[in-house]
Amino acid sequence: MSAILKLKGVSKAYGTQQVLKPISFEVGEGERICILGPSGCGKSTLLQLVAGLARIDEGEIEMNGVVVERGNHYVPPENRPINMVFQDYALWPHMSIRQNIEYGMKRRKVPKGDMENRLRRLQSLLKLDGLLERLPAQLSGGQQQRVGIARALATEPRLLLMDEPLSNLDVKLRTDMRSELAGLLGDLSIATLYVTHDRMEAFTIADRILVLREGGIDQIGSPSELFERPATPWVAQLMGYHNRLKVRFGDAADSVVLAAGRPVEGVRMTPGAYAGAGVMMLHPESIFVCEGSVSDGGNRLEAKAIRAIYEGTRWRLIVETADGQPLHLFHDERVEPDARLTLRLPAQSVMLYADPARSADG
Ligand code: ADP
Ligand code: MG
């Protein structure tokens, strides 16, 4: 797979704020990459650098094997093989839908016949029948966003940049559009860099997810790689590992790890030998209440029930370990406060990390 986009050590600061640390990654032909991270972590900045709407400080950007920015060499946005879809649609309010879609093609001097063909194709692809002569204000939010996508696709970019394109839609429409968009991008097999702060959106759209935290890449991988082997406690948290327990690593590389005074087995995610304080991350769904004295393998941990919250299809139990650390888990029945429970934690779903305060990438 040849790369449509290559970033090598690209960084960006605004004033004294280092918004992006040196970042390197590639987008392959037809590949959809989602940039996932909380508000303010630098997602939009990264997209703007790729688009050429902001200048990079260091490093190099390559598109289709051609360097578009390095040092003083800089190719402006209109000459990069890209197009962009924004969160707020950014349609021209005084132009009809047809004029909005034709605008970019006219600027790029696409011949009239080609323009008509593309317009017809996009009209059916994005379900815009009967809307072309209207003004943007006469369309619903979902329709406007479809026009935004049609307009971006009309110039036949090699790389589509999308910055939270669904975040202005209401929840129901967003969920529908999410799968519709995933299908559309899959059918078009157009390389896409898609910014979102929503994990489910990233899971639906992405071939690979790039997790951005404070301007640095914590992990890049397929949704299942991230979900099953989160590289840092932070990625784990993002992937729904909402339980965090303090643990203690022994001195040898394969030594016993203690959680709440009990030995636990798990997946060691911090490379190399490690001794001292650490954390273990665990999904609420991966903790089970032991019934009776079955010996079905896995770690055992004693806990005391604090509260049971009815959630309709199940109860959420909040319990406390012997050393007073809280854990959340799900159970199919209510448990009285102060009840003593034995919990089973399957070793393959226990993620173990060195102390994030002392390792570089916590
Ligand atoms: P995100 O899209 O992940 O929410 P942004 O990339 O928009 O984050 O912003 C990251 C950080 O960079 C923020 O702290 C923001 O204030 C800062 N920033 C972004 N653009 C500019 C700019 N043009 N001038 C100064 N600071 C900026
Ligand atoms: Mg943003």
Side-chain angles (χ1 to χ4, degrees):
M1 196 165 59
S2 59
I4 294 291
L5 173 71
K6 272 189 199 177
L7 267 72
K8 298 178 195 164
V10 168
S11 69
K12 181 70 179 175
Y14 282 114
T16 56
Q17 188 192 0
Q18 192 69 39
V19 176
L20 289 174
K21 298 167 188 164
I23 276 181
S24 304
F25 69 94
E26 294 186 4
V27 183
E29 213 156 326
E31 192 183 26
R32 293 180 299 276
I33 293 199
C34 280
I35 301 168
L36 177 66
S39 177
C41 71
K43 303 184 296 296
S44 294
T45 302
L46 179 53
L47 224 55
Q48 281 165 359
L49 294 179
V50 171
L53 296 169
R55 296 292 304 267
I56 64 176
D57 289 346
E58 297 170 300
E60 171 182 322
I61 301 179
E62 202 182 287
M63 289 179 185
N64 270 330
V66 177
V67 174
V68 295
E69 190 164 6
R70 177 173 56 207
N72 289 328
H73 174 64
Y74 161 73
V75 175
E78 60 271 22
N79 295 335
R80 297 187 185 193
I82 52 153
N83 215 336
M84 199 149 171
V85 180
F86 296 94
Q87 172 177 336
D88 58 0
Y89 326 132
L91 301 178
W92 310 106
H94 57 289
M95 288 187 197
S96 70
I97 300 311
R98 175 192 296 277
Q99 289 168 328
N100 263 282
I101 297 174
E102 284 179 347
Y103 183 80
M105 293 194 276
K106 284 186 174 157
R107 280 194 60 180
R108 285 174 169 81
K109 303 198 168 43
V110 174
K112 190 113 182 89
D114 286 358
M115 210 153 80
E116 274 307 311
N117 286 339
R118 289 189 201 175
L119 197 64
R120 247 194 317 268
R121 180 158 172 267
L122 290 167
Q123 182 179 347
S124 81
L125 202 62
L126 287 149
K127 305 186 188 107
L128 300 175
D129 290 312
L131 303 180
L132 291 187
E133 308 313 325
R134 294 198 199 169
L135 291 173
Q138 297 169 308
L139 266 52
S140 72
Q143 288 170 331
Q144 289 188 40
Q145 193 49 289
R146 282 205 191 90
V147 175
I149 295 164
R151 187 180 57 175
L153 292 174
T155 58
E156 300 191 335
R158 298 300 306 275
L159 176 68
L160 189 61
L161 305 176
M162 306 183 98
D163 194 350
E164 313 222 22
L166 306 183
S167 61
N168 278 358
L169 306 176
D170 64 50
V171 177
K172 166 81 174 82
L173 190 57
R174 192 159 69 218
T175 314
D176 291 349
M177 278 287 280
R178 183 165 87 194
S179 28
E180 209 175 282
L181 195 54
L184 177 71
L185 294 174
D187 291 346
L188 292 168
S189 75
I190 181 171
T192 306
L193 207 50
Y194 186 109
V195 162
T196 180
H197 63 268
D198 180 331
R199 165 161 64 106
M200 284 320 295
E201 205 167 301
F203 270 45
T204 310
I205 304 273
D207 298 312
R208 287 194 296 156
I209 297 173
L210 184 162
V211 178
L212 200 62
R213 180 174 62 97
E214 292 171 9
I217 298 178
D218 251 35
Q219 189 170 10
I220 180 163
S222 69
S224 64
E225 278 165 2
L226 263 63
F227 192 77
E228 286 158 26
R229 291 289 179 269
T232 65
W234 196 82
V235 177
Q237 174 72 31
L238 206 61
M239 292 294 128
Y241 290 71
H242 293 313
N243 287 304
R244 185 188 184 104
L245 272 191
K246 290 187 200 125
V247 298
R248 209 149 183 95
F249 289 76
D251 288 329
D254 57 351
S255 66
V256 171
V257 180
L258 296 179
R262 294 284 298 269
V264 290
E265 278 177 33
V267 182
R268 286 170 190 251
M269 294 302 300
T270 306
Y274 184 79
V279 291
M280 94 186 213
M281 305 292 291
L282 202 59
H283 271 286
E285 287 87 352
S286 316
I287 305 181
F288 304 93
V289 177
C290 288
E291 319 274 6
S293 60
V294 284
S295 59
D296 48 359
N299 303 298
R300 292 285 190 278
L301 214 58
E302 306 302 323
K304 183 178 79 171
I306 302 295
R307 207 167 35 249
I309 299 165
Y310 182 62
E311 292 190 351
T313 52
R314 59 192 182 183
W315 291 82
R316 173 185 292 266
L317 304 187
I318 303 169
V319 305
E320 212 173 74
T321 59
D323 60 350
Q325 302 189 68
L327 283 178
H328 285 226
L329 62 139
F330 297 114
H331 197 45
D332 52 14
E333 55 196 79
R334 191 186 143 77
V335 172
E336 292 300 324
D338 289 331
R340 302 282 157 175
L341 302 172
T342 303
L343 306 178
R344 181 169 64 85
L345 321 177
Q348 75 275 10
S349 50
V350 171
M351 299 295 141
L352 297 166
Y353 303 87
D355 186 349
R358 289 165 58 189
S359 71
D361 59 358

